[in-house]
Amino acid sequence: MNKSELIDAIAVSADISKAAAGRALDGAMDAVKNALKKGEMVNLVGFGSFYVAERAARAGRNPRSGAAIKIKAAKVPKFRPGKGLKDSLQ
């Protein structure tokens, strides 16, 4: 499912226009991004949690030349599915 298909599904489910569904989805995604930028966790009960994890610096290899390289530490977004989401897949 891509973004436009998700917007169509939201519009049908909520009985709103596609434009309004698109604005709502964009607003929700912006809110999640802004919370993660602040280091906050976003919990959606029954669906899951978005959070920021620290990835340590590590050694790697350049796939083209095989030379060893240093990969910097980074903050990465993560998602942990909730019980409701897990149960709906079984």
Side-chain angles (χ1 to χ4, degrees):
M1 175 178 277
N2 61 30
K3 185 175 178 180
S4 63
E5 292 170 341
L6 181 57
I7 289 171
D8 292 343
I10 292 169
V12 169
S13 177
D15 194 26
I16 57 176
S17 70
K18 289 182 184 180
R23 288 191 304 271
L25 180 59
D26 289 340
M29 290 185 344
D30 287 342
V32 171
K33 285 180 204 175
N34 291 334
L36 292 177
K37 281 183 187 178
K38 294 177 188 175
E40 299 173 359
M41 180 182 263
V42 178
N43 294 312
L44 303 172
V45 177
F47 184 73
S49 302
F50 295 92
Y51 61 99
V52 177
E54 299 282 336
R55 187 172 11 189
R58 62 196 191 280
R61 293 220 171 264
N62 180 329
R64 182 172 291 184
S65 66
I69 59 172
K70 292 181 183 176
I71 301 172
K72 295 180 184 178
K75 292 181 179 180
V76 293
K78 298 257 182 155
F79 176 74
R80 183 179 306 129
K83 184 176 182 338
L85 180 59
K86 288 180 192 176
D87 290 347
S88 70
L89 299 177
Q90 295 178 8

